[in-house]
Short mmCIF file of all heavy atoms in Angstrom, two decimals:
data_model
loop_
_atom_site.label_atom_id
_atom_site.label_comp_id
_atom_site.label_asym_id
_atom_site.label_seq_id
_atom_site.Cartn_x
_atom_site.Cartn_y
_atom_site.Cartn_z
N ILE L 2 17.48 -151.10 -27.10
CA ILE L 2 18.69 -151.74 -27.59
C ILE L 2 19.43 -152.36 -26.40
O ILE L 2 19.69 -151.67 -25.42
CB ILE L 2 19.61 -150.73 -28.30
CG1 ILE L 2 18.90 -150.17 -29.54
CG2 ILE L 2 20.93 -151.35 -28.67
CD1 ILE L 2 19.68 -149.08 -30.22
N ALA L 3 19.78 -153.60 -26.52
CA ALA L 3 20.52 -154.28 -25.46
C ALA L 3 21.89 -153.64 -25.30
O ALA L 3 22.58 -153.35 -26.28
CB ALA L 3 20.69 -155.76 -25.79
N GLY L 4 22.27 -153.37 -24.08
CA GLY L 4 23.56 -152.77 -23.81
C GLY L 4 23.59 -151.27 -23.92
O GLY L 4 24.63 -150.66 -23.76
N ARG L 5 22.44 -150.66 -24.16
CA ARG L 5 22.38 -149.20 -24.28
C ARG L 5 22.47 -148.55 -22.90
O ARG L 5 21.90 -149.03 -21.93
CB ARG L 5 21.05 -148.83 -24.95
CG ARG L 5 20.84 -147.35 -25.09
CD ARG L 5 19.54 -147.12 -25.82
NE ARG L 5 19.05 -145.78 -25.53
CZ ARG L 5 18.37 -145.06 -26.39
NH1 ARG L 5 18.07 -145.55 -27.58
NH2 ARG L 5 17.95 -143.87 -26.07
N PHE L 6 23.20 -147.43 -22.83
CA PHE L 6 23.32 -146.66 -21.60
C PHE L 6 22.85 -145.25 -21.88
O PHE L 6 23.42 -144.55 -22.72
CB PHE L 6 24.77 -146.65 -21.11
CG PHE L 6 24.98 -145.83 -19.88
CD1 PHE L 6 24.47 -146.24 -18.65
CD2 PHE L 6 25.66 -144.62 -19.94
CE1 PHE L 6 24.66 -145.47 -17.51
CE2 PHE L 6 25.87 -143.84 -18.80
CZ PHE L 6 25.35 -144.27 -17.59
N ASP L 7 21.79 -144.82 -21.18
CA ASP L 7 21.19 -143.51 -21.43
C ASP L 7 21.77 -142.39 -20.58
O ASP L 7 21.43 -141.23 -20.78
CB ASP L 7 19.67 -143.57 -21.23
CG ASP L 7 18.99 -144.42 -22.29
OD1 ASP L 7 19.38 -144.31 -23.47
OD2 ASP L 7 18.08 -145.19 -21.95
N GLY L 8 22.65 -142.71 -19.66
CA GLY L 8 23.25 -141.69 -18.82
C GLY L 8 24.37 -140.97 -19.54
O GLY L 8 24.72 -141.28 -20.68
N PRO L 9 24.95 -140.01 -18.86
CA PRO L 9 26.04 -139.25 -19.47
C PRO L 9 27.28 -140.12 -19.68
O PRO L 9 27.60 -140.97 -18.86
CB PRO L 9 26.31 -138.13 -18.48
CG PRO L 9 25.75 -138.60 -17.18
CD PRO L 9 24.64 -139.55 -17.50
N ALA L 10 27.95 -139.89 -20.80
CA ALA L 10 29.18 -140.63 -21.13
C ALA L 10 30.11 -139.67 -21.86
O ALA L 10 29.69 -138.91 -22.71
CB ALA L 10 28.86 -141.84 -22.01
N LEU L 11 31.38 -139.74 -21.51
CA LEU L 11 32.38 -138.90 -22.15
C LEU L 11 33.34 -139.77 -22.93
O LEU L 11 33.94 -140.69 -22.37
CB LEU L 11 33.15 -138.09 -21.09
CG LEU L 11 34.30 -137.24 -21.62
CD1 LEU L 11 33.80 -136.16 -22.57
CD2 LEU L 11 35.06 -136.62 -20.45
N PHE L 12 33.49 -139.48 -24.20
CA PHE L 12 34.46 -140.13 -25.05
C PHE L 12 35.59 -139.12 -25.26
O PHE L 12 35.53 -138.27 -26.14
CB PHE L 12 33.83 -140.58 -26.37
CG PHE L 12 32.98 -141.81 -26.20
CD1 PHE L 12 31.72 -141.72 -25.63
CD2 PHE L 12 33.46 -143.05 -26.57
CE1 PHE L 12 30.95 -142.86 -25.44
CE2 PHE L 12 32.69 -144.19 -26.38
CZ PHE L 12 31.43 -144.09 -25.82
N LEU L 13 36.58 -139.23 -24.41
CA LEU L 13 37.70 -138.30 -24.39
C LEU L 13 38.88 -138.98 -25.08
O LEU L 13 39.27 -140.09 -24.71
CB LEU L 13 38.05 -137.96 -22.94
CG LEU L 13 39.15 -136.94 -22.69
CD1 LEU L 13 38.80 -135.60 -23.31
CD2 LEU L 13 39.36 -136.79 -21.19
N SER L 14 39.42 -138.32 -26.07
CA SER L 14 40.52 -138.91 -26.81
C SER L 14 41.61 -137.88 -27.05
O SER L 14 41.39 -136.68 -26.92
CB SER L 14 40.03 -139.50 -28.14
OG SER L 14 39.43 -138.50 -28.94
N GLY L 15 42.77 -138.38 -27.41
CA GLY L 15 43.86 -137.51 -27.79
C GLY L 15 43.73 -137.12 -29.25
O GLY L 15 43.35 -137.94 -30.09
N ALA L 16 44.02 -135.88 -29.56
CA ALA L 16 43.91 -135.41 -30.93
C ALA L 16 44.85 -136.15 -31.88
O ALA L 16 44.58 -136.24 -33.08
CB ALA L 16 44.16 -133.91 -31.00
N LEU L 17 45.93 -136.70 -31.34
CA LEU L 17 46.89 -137.43 -32.17
C LEU L 17 46.56 -138.92 -32.26
O LEU L 17 47.31 -139.68 -32.86
CB LEU L 17 48.31 -137.24 -31.60
CG LEU L 17 48.78 -135.79 -31.47
CD1 LEU L 17 50.16 -135.73 -30.82
CD2 LEU L 17 48.78 -135.10 -32.82
N SER L 18 45.46 -139.32 -31.68
CA SER L 18 45.04 -140.72 -31.68
C SER L 18 43.88 -140.91 -32.66
O SER L 18 43.06 -140.02 -32.84
CB SER L 18 44.57 -141.12 -30.27
OG SER L 18 43.95 -142.38 -30.29
N ASP L 19 43.83 -142.07 -33.27
CA ASP L 19 42.70 -142.37 -34.17
C ASP L 19 41.80 -143.46 -33.59
O ASP L 19 41.08 -144.13 -34.31
CB ASP L 19 43.20 -142.76 -35.56
CG ASP L 19 44.04 -144.03 -35.56
OD1 ASP L 19 44.35 -144.56 -34.47
OD2 ASP L 19 44.37 -144.50 -36.66
N TYR L 20 41.83 -143.62 -32.28
CA TYR L 20 41.00 -144.65 -31.64
C TYR L 20 39.51 -144.36 -31.75
O TYR L 20 38.71 -145.27 -31.94
CB TYR L 20 41.38 -144.81 -30.17
CG TYR L 20 42.57 -145.70 -29.90
CD1 TYR L 20 43.39 -146.17 -30.91
CD2 TYR L 20 42.89 -146.07 -28.61
CE1 TYR L 20 44.48 -146.97 -30.66
CE2 TYR L 20 43.98 -146.87 -28.34
CZ TYR L 20 44.77 -147.31 -29.37
OH TYR L 20 45.85 -148.11 -29.09
N VAL L 21 39.12 -143.10 -31.60
CA VAL L 21 37.71 -142.72 -31.73
C VAL L 21 37.59 -141.89 -33.01
O VAL L 21 37.91 -140.70 -33.02
CB VAL L 21 37.21 -141.91 -30.51
CG1 VAL L 21 35.74 -141.56 -30.66
CG2 VAL L 21 37.43 -142.71 -29.22
N ARG L 22 37.15 -142.52 -34.05
CA ARG L 22 37.07 -141.87 -35.37
C ARG L 22 35.68 -141.28 -35.59
O ARG L 22 34.69 -141.76 -35.03
CB ARG L 22 37.37 -142.88 -36.46
CG ARG L 22 38.76 -143.43 -36.38
CD ARG L 22 39.00 -144.41 -37.48
NE ARG L 22 40.34 -144.96 -37.36
CZ ARG L 22 40.78 -145.95 -38.11
NH1 ARG L 22 40.01 -146.50 -39.02
NH2 ARG L 22 42.01 -146.39 -37.93
N PRO L 23 35.61 -140.26 -36.45
CA PRO L 23 34.30 -139.66 -36.76
C PRO L 23 33.27 -140.68 -37.25
O PRO L 23 32.10 -140.59 -36.91
CB PRO L 23 34.62 -138.62 -37.84
CG PRO L 23 36.05 -138.26 -37.60
CD PRO L 23 36.71 -139.54 -37.10
N GLU L 24 33.72 -141.66 -38.00
CA GLU L 24 32.77 -142.67 -38.51
C GLU L 24 32.26 -143.60 -37.42
O GLU L 24 31.29 -144.33 -37.63
CB GLU L 24 33.39 -143.47 -39.67
CG GLU L 24 34.61 -144.28 -39.33
CD GLU L 24 35.93 -143.56 -39.59
OE1 GLU L 24 35.97 -142.31 -39.61
OE2 GLU L 24 36.93 -144.27 -39.78
N HIS L 25 32.88 -143.59 -36.24
CA HIS L 25 32.41 -144.39 -35.11
C HIS L 25 31.27 -143.71 -34.36
O HIS L 25 30.54 -144.36 -33.60
CB HIS L 25 33.54 -144.65 -34.11
CG HIS L 25 34.67 -145.43 -34.67
ND1 HIS L 25 35.94 -145.36 -34.15
CD2 HIS L 25 34.75 -146.31 -35.71
CE1 HIS L 25 36.74 -146.16 -34.84
NE2 HIS L 25 36.04 -146.73 -35.80
N ARG L 26 31.14 -142.41 -34.53
CA ARG L 26 30.18 -141.65 -33.73
C ARG L 26 28.73 -142.13 -33.84
O ARG L 26 28.06 -142.23 -32.83
CB ARG L 26 30.28 -140.16 -34.03
CG ARG L 26 31.54 -139.58 -33.43
CD ARG L 26 31.56 -138.09 -33.60
NE ARG L 26 32.76 -137.55 -32.96
CZ ARG L 26 32.88 -136.33 -32.53
NH1 ARG L 26 31.87 -135.48 -32.68
NH2 ARG L 26 34.00 -135.92 -31.98
N PRO L 27 28.22 -142.47 -35.03
CA PRO L 27 26.83 -142.97 -35.08
C PRO L 27 26.62 -144.23 -34.23
O PRO L 27 25.62 -144.35 -33.52
CB PRO L 27 26.59 -143.24 -36.56
CG PRO L 27 27.53 -142.31 -37.27
CD PRO L 27 28.76 -142.26 -36.38
N ALA L 28 27.56 -145.16 -34.28
CA ALA L 28 27.44 -146.39 -33.48
C ALA L 28 27.53 -146.06 -31.99
O ALA L 28 26.78 -146.61 -31.17
CB ALA L 28 28.51 -147.39 -33.87
N ILE L 29 28.44 -145.17 -31.64
CA ILE L 29 28.57 -144.77 -30.23
C ILE L 29 27.28 -144.12 -29.76
O ILE L 29 26.77 -144.44 -28.68
CB ILE L 29 29.78 -143.83 -30.04
CG1 ILE L 29 31.09 -144.59 -30.25
CG2 ILE L 29 29.74 -143.16 -28.67
CD1 ILE L 29 32.33 -143.72 -30.35
N LYS L 30 26.72 -143.22 -30.56
CA LYS L 30 25.49 -142.52 -30.16
C LYS L 30 24.30 -143.48 -30.07
O LYS L 30 23.38 -143.23 -29.31
CB LYS L 30 25.18 -141.38 -31.14
CG LYS L 30 26.15 -140.21 -31.04
CD LYS L 30 26.11 -139.51 -29.71
CE LYS L 30 25.10 -138.39 -29.71
NZ LYS L 30 25.13 -137.60 -28.48
N THR L 31 24.32 -144.57 -30.82
CA THR L 31 23.26 -145.57 -30.71
C THR L 31 23.30 -146.24 -29.34
O THR L 31 22.26 -146.45 -28.72
CB THR L 31 23.40 -146.63 -31.82
OG1 THR L 31 23.24 -145.99 -33.09
CG2 THR L 31 22.37 -147.73 -31.68
N LEU L 32 24.49 -146.54 -28.86
CA LEU L 32 24.64 -147.22 -27.58
C LEU L 32 24.72 -146.26 -26.40
O LEU L 32 24.37 -146.63 -25.28
CB LEU L 32 25.89 -148.10 -27.61
CG LEU L 32 25.85 -149.26 -28.61
CD1 LEU L 32 27.20 -149.93 -28.71
CD2 LEU L 32 24.77 -150.25 -28.22
N PHE L 33 25.17 -145.05 -26.65
CA PHE L 33 25.32 -144.02 -25.62
C PHE L 33 24.69 -142.72 -26.14
O PHE L 33 25.40 -141.81 -26.59
CB PHE L 33 26.79 -143.78 -25.28
CG PHE L 33 27.52 -144.98 -24.79
CD1 PHE L 33 28.17 -145.83 -25.68
CD2 PHE L 33 27.58 -145.27 -23.44
CE1 PHE L 33 28.86 -146.95 -25.23
CE2 PHE L 33 28.26 -146.39 -22.97
CZ PHE L 33 28.89 -147.22 -23.87
N PRO L 34 23.36 -142.61 -26.14
CA PRO L 34 22.69 -141.46 -26.75
C PRO L 34 23.09 -140.11 -26.16
O PRO L 34 23.02 -139.10 -26.85
CB PRO L 34 21.20 -141.73 -26.54
CG PRO L 34 21.08 -143.07 -25.96
CD PRO L 34 22.42 -143.58 -25.59
N ALA L 35 23.52 -140.07 -24.93
CA ALA L 35 23.92 -138.81 -24.30
C ALA L 35 25.43 -138.59 -24.36
O ALA L 35 25.96 -137.75 -23.64
CB ALA L 35 23.43 -138.77 -22.85
N ALA L 36 26.11 -139.31 -25.24
CA ALA L 36 27.57 -139.23 -25.32
C ALA L 36 28.02 -137.83 -25.70
O ALA L 36 27.43 -137.17 -26.54
CB ALA L 36 28.11 -140.23 -26.35
N LYS L 37 29.11 -137.42 -25.05
CA LYS L 37 29.82 -136.19 -25.39
C LYS L 37 31.20 -136.60 -25.88
O LYS L 37 31.78 -137.57 -25.39
CB LYS L 37 29.98 -135.27 -24.16
CG LYS L 37 28.68 -134.87 -23.52
CD LYS L 37 27.92 -133.91 -24.39
CE LYS L 37 26.66 -133.45 -23.67
NZ LYS L 37 25.68 -132.91 -24.53
N PHE L 38 31.71 -135.86 -26.85
CA PHE L 38 33.02 -136.15 -27.42
C PHE L 38 33.94 -134.97 -27.19
O PHE L 38 33.53 -133.82 -27.35
CB PHE L 38 32.89 -136.41 -28.93
CG PHE L 38 32.04 -137.60 -29.27
CD1 PHE L 38 30.68 -137.47 -29.43
CD2 PHE L 38 32.61 -138.86 -29.41
CE1 PHE L 38 29.88 -138.56 -29.74
CE2 PHE L 38 31.83 -139.95 -29.72
CZ PHE L 38 30.46 -139.80 -29.88
N ALA L 39 35.17 -135.25 -26.82
CA ALA L 39 36.16 -134.19 -26.63
C ALA L 39 37.53 -134.75 -26.99
O ALA L 39 37.78 -135.95 -26.87
CB ALA L 39 36.15 -133.70 -25.18
N LYS L 40 38.39 -133.85 -27.45
CA LYS L 40 39.76 -134.22 -27.79
C LYS L 40 40.72 -133.32 -27.05
O LYS L 40 40.46 -132.14 -26.88
CB LYS L 40 40.01 -134.08 -29.29
CG LYS L 40 39.29 -135.11 -30.11
CD LYS L 40 39.74 -135.07 -31.55
CE LYS L 40 38.99 -136.13 -32.32
NZ LYS L 40 39.86 -137.10 -32.90
N ILE L 41 41.81 -133.89 -26.62
CA ILE L 41 42.86 -133.13 -25.96
C ILE L 41 43.97 -132.90 -27.00
O ILE L 41 44.53 -133.86 -27.53
CB ILE L 41 43.40 -133.86 -24.73
CG1 ILE L 41 42.29 -133.98 -23.68
CG2 ILE L 41 44.62 -133.13 -24.17
CD1 ILE L 41 42.69 -134.70 -22.42
N PRO L 42 44.25 -131.63 -27.31
CA PRO L 42 45.28 -131.33 -28.30
C PRO L 42 46.66 -131.88 -27.88
O PRO L 42 46.98 -131.93 -26.70
CB PRO L 42 45.32 -129.80 -28.34
CG PRO L 42 44.02 -129.36 -27.76
CD PRO L 42 43.62 -130.43 -26.78
N ASP L 43 47.42 -132.29 -28.88
CA ASP L 43 48.79 -132.77 -28.68
C ASP L 43 48.90 -133.98 -27.77
O ASP L 43 49.95 -134.20 -27.17
CB ASP L 43 49.69 -131.64 -28.16
CG ASP L 43 49.75 -130.46 -29.12
OD1 ASP L 43 49.83 -130.70 -30.35
OD2 ASP L 43 49.71 -129.32 -28.66
N ALA L 44 47.85 -134.75 -27.64
CA ALA L 44 47.86 -135.98 -26.85
C ALA L 44 47.60 -137.16 -27.78
O ALA L 44 46.85 -137.05 -28.75
CB ALA L 44 46.81 -135.95 -25.75
N GLY L 45 48.23 -138.29 -27.47
CA GLY L 45 48.03 -139.50 -28.25
C GLY L 45 47.07 -140.45 -27.55
O GLY L 45 46.09 -140.02 -26.95
N HIS L 46 47.39 -141.74 -27.62
CA HIS L 46 46.52 -142.76 -27.03
C HIS L 46 46.50 -142.68 -25.50
O HIS L 46 45.49 -142.97 -24.89
CB HIS L 46 46.97 -144.16 -27.44
CG HIS L 46 47.01 -144.39 -28.91
ND1 HIS L 46 45.99 -144.05 -29.77
CD2 HIS L 46 47.98 -144.93 -29.70
CE1 HIS L 46 46.30 -144.37 -31.00
NE2 HIS L 46 47.51 -144.90 -30.99
N TRP L 47 47.61 -142.32 -24.91
CA TRP L 47 47.72 -142.26 -23.45
C TRP L 47 47.57 -140.82 -23.01
O TRP L 47 48.49 -140.22 -22.47
CB TRP L 47 49.05 -142.82 -23.00
CG TRP L 47 49.16 -144.30 -23.08
CD1 TRP L 47 48.49 -145.13 -23.93
CD2 TRP L 47 49.98 -145.12 -22.29
NE1 TRP L 47 48.85 -146.43 -23.71
CE2 TRP L 47 49.78 -146.45 -22.70
CE3 TRP L 47 50.89 -144.87 -21.27
CZ2 TRP L 47 50.44 -147.52 -22.13
CZ3 TRP L 47 51.54 -145.95 -20.70
CH2 TRP L 47 51.31 -147.26 -21.12
N LEU L 48 46.40 -140.25 -23.24
CA LEU L 48 46.19 -138.83 -22.95
C LEU L 48 46.40 -138.49 -21.49
O LEU L 48 46.86 -137.39 -21.17
CB LEU L 48 44.83 -138.35 -23.44
CG LEU L 48 43.62 -139.18 -23.05
CD1 LEU L 48 42.41 -138.29 -22.90
CD2 LEU L 48 43.37 -140.19 -24.14
N HIS L 49 46.13 -139.41 -20.60
CA HIS L 49 46.35 -139.16 -19.17
C HIS L 49 47.84 -139.01 -18.86
O HIS L 49 48.21 -138.32 -17.92
CB HIS L 49 45.73 -140.28 -18.33
CG HIS L 49 46.34 -141.62 -18.60
ND1 HIS L 49 46.07 -142.32 -19.76
CD2 HIS L 49 47.21 -142.36 -17.89
CE1 HIS L 49 46.76 -143.46 -19.73
NE2 HIS L 49 47.46 -143.50 -18.61
N ALA L 50 48.70 -139.66 -19.65
CA ALA L 50 50.15 -139.55 -19.46
C ALA L 50 50.73 -138.40 -20.28
O ALA L 50 51.63 -137.70 -19.82
CB ALA L 50 50.84 -140.86 -19.85
N ASP L 51 50.20 -138.19 -21.48
CA ASP L 51 50.70 -137.13 -22.35
C ASP L 51 50.34 -135.74 -21.84
O ASP L 51 51.15 -134.82 -21.90
CB ASP L 51 50.12 -137.28 -23.77
CG ASP L 51 50.63 -138.51 -24.50
OD1 ASP L 51 51.65 -139.08 -24.08
OD2 ASP L 51 49.99 -138.89 -25.49
N LYS L 52 49.12 -135.59 -21.38
CA LYS L 52 48.60 -134.28 -20.94
C LYS L 52 47.79 -134.45 -19.65
O LYS L 52 46.57 -134.32 -19.65
CB LYS L 52 47.71 -133.66 -22.04
CG LYS L 52 48.42 -133.35 -23.33
CD LYS L 52 49.33 -132.17 -23.15
CE LYS L 52 49.96 -131.76 -24.47
NZ LYS L 52 50.69 -130.53 -24.35
N PRO L 53 48.45 -134.78 -18.55
CA PRO L 53 47.71 -135.10 -17.32
C PRO L 53 46.83 -133.95 -16.81
O PRO L 53 45.73 -134.20 -16.34
CB PRO L 53 48.79 -135.47 -16.31
CG PRO L 53 50.07 -134.95 -16.88
CD PRO L 53 49.89 -134.91 -18.37
N ARG L 54 47.29 -132.73 -16.87
CA ARG L 54 46.48 -131.61 -16.37
C ARG L 54 45.24 -131.40 -17.23
O ARG L 54 44.15 -131.18 -16.71
CB ARG L 54 47.31 -130.32 -16.31
CG ARG L 54 48.31 -130.33 -15.19
CD ARG L 54 49.05 -129.00 -15.09
NE ARG L 54 50.06 -129.04 -14.05
CZ ARG L 54 51.31 -129.42 -14.23
NH1 ARG L 54 51.73 -129.78 -15.43
NH2 ARG L 54 52.16 -129.43 -13.22
N GLU L 55 45.41 -131.49 -18.54
CA GLU L 55 44.27 -131.34 -19.45
C GLU L 55 43.28 -132.50 -19.28
O GLU L 55 42.08 -132.30 -19.31
CB GLU L 55 44.75 -131.24 -20.89
CG GLU L 55 45.52 -129.98 -21.20
CD GLU L 55 47.01 -130.07 -20.88
OE1 GLU L 55 47.44 -130.99 -20.13
OE2 GLU L 55 47.76 -129.20 -21.38
N PHE L 56 43.83 -133.69 -19.09
CA PHE L 56 42.98 -134.87 -18.86
C PHE L 56 42.17 -134.67 -17.59
O PHE L 56 40.94 -134.85 -17.59
CB PHE L 56 43.84 -136.13 -18.75
CG PHE L 56 43.07 -137.36 -18.38
CD1 PHE L 56 42.32 -138.04 -19.31
CD2 PHE L 56 43.09 -137.83 -17.07
CE1 PHE L 56 41.60 -139.17 -18.95
CE2 PHE L 56 42.38 -138.96 -16.70
CZ PHE L 56 41.63 -139.63 -17.65
N GLU L 57 42.84 -134.29 -16.52
CA GLU L 57 42.16 -134.08 -15.24
C GLU L 57 41.11 -132.96 -15.37
O GLU L 57 40.00 -133.10 -14.86
CB GLU L 57 43.16 -133.72 -14.16
CG GLU L 57 42.53 -133.52 -12.80
CD GLU L 57 43.52 -133.10 -11.73
OE1 GLU L 57 44.73 -133.05 -12.00
OE2 GLU L 57 43.07 -132.83 -10.61
N GLY L 58 41.44 -131.89 -16.05
CA GLY L 58 40.49 -130.79 -16.22
C GLY L 58 39.26 -131.21 -17.00
O GLY L 58 38.14 -130.85 -16.65
N SER L 59 39.47 -131.95 -18.07
CA SER L 59 38.34 -132.43 -18.89
C SER L 59 37.45 -133.37 -18.10
O SER L 59 36.22 -133.27 -18.15
CB SER L 59 38.86 -133.14 -20.14
OG SER L 59 39.58 -132.27 -20.95
N LEU L 60 38.06 -134.29 -17.39
CA LEU L 60 37.31 -135.25 -16.60
C LEU L 60 36.56 -134.55 -15.47
O LEU L 60 35.38 -134.84 -15.23
CB LEU L 60 38.24 -136.32 -16.06
CG LEU L 60 37.59 -137.53 -15.41
CD1 LEU L 60 36.65 -138.23 -16.38
CD2 LEU L 60 38.66 -138.49 -14.94
N SER L 61 37.22 -133.64 -14.80
CA SER L 61 36.60 -132.89 -13.71
C SER L 61 35.40 -132.08 -14.20
O SER L 61 34.34 -132.08 -13.56
CB SER L 61 37.62 -131.98 -13.06
OG SER L 61 37.04 -131.24 -12.01
N ALA L 62 35.55 -131.43 -15.35
CA ALA L 62 34.44 -130.64 -15.90
C ALA L 62 33.26 -131.54 -16.24
O ALA L 62 32.10 -131.20 -15.96
CB ALA L 62 34.91 -129.89 -17.15
N PHE L 63 33.54 -132.71 -16.82
CA PHE L 63 32.46 -133.64 -17.18
C PHE L 63 31.75 -134.15 -15.92
O PHE L 63 30.52 -134.18 -15.87
CB PHE L 63 33.03 -134.82 -17.98
CG PHE L 63 32.02 -135.89 -18.26
CD1 PHE L 63 31.03 -135.70 -19.20
CD2 PHE L 63 32.06 -137.09 -17.57
CE1 PHE L 63 30.09 -136.70 -19.45
CE2 PHE L 63 31.14 -138.09 -17.81
CZ PHE L 63 30.15 -137.87 -18.75
N LEU L 64 32.52 -134.54 -14.92
CA LEU L 64 31.91 -135.09 -13.70
C LEU L 64 31.18 -134.03 -12.88
O LEU L 64 30.26 -134.38 -12.12
CB LEU L 64 32.99 -135.77 -12.85
CG LEU L 64 33.63 -137.02 -13.47
CD1 LEU L 64 34.79 -137.50 -12.61
CD2 LEU L 64 32.59 -138.12 -13.67
N SER L 65 31.55 -132.78 -13.05
CA SER L 65 30.89 -131.70 -12.29
C SER L 65 29.61 -131.22 -12.97
O SER L 65 28.80 -130.54 -12.33
CB SER L 65 31.85 -130.51 -12.16
OG SER L 65 32.96 -130.87 -11.39
N ALA L 66 29.45 -131.56 -14.23
CA ALA L 66 28.26 -131.09 -15.00
C ALA L 66 27.00 -131.80 -14.56
O ALA L 66 26.99 -132.83 -14.00
CB ALA L 66 28.51 -131.29 -16.48
#
């Protein structure tokens, strides 16, 4: 598939955001087969601003894996 990325990818979203919906997951997995999904509780669209420590922790854990 053109544009497919087989490496690790993290789709990190805020639990209060609807940007990454469950119905999007099949399309995401087609383009990013190794995609991981995570949500940060009580965060909206700007999860890095709403929950900076949780954002940093999630990103750090993903990059360290």
Side-chain angles (χ1 to χ4, degrees):
I2 297 174
R5 178 177 158 148
F6 177 70
D7 292 319
L11 175 63
F12 284 76
L13 184 60
S14 59
L17 303 177
S18 171
D19 63 353
Y20 277 9
V21 181
R22 297 180 182 173
E24 62 266 25
H25 297 156
R26 287 186 178 204
I29 291 169
K30 290 296 270 186
T31 297
L32 296 171
F33 301 90
K37 302 289 184 200
F38 297 89
K40 290 189 180 241
I41 295 179
D43 300 319
H46 303 312
W47 286 27
L48 49 149
H49 62 286
D51 293 342
K52 297 288 185 172
R54 287 184 183 90
E55 292 85 344
F56 174 79
E57 182 183 355
S59 297
L60 190 58
S61 179
F63 174 74
L64 294 173
S65 295

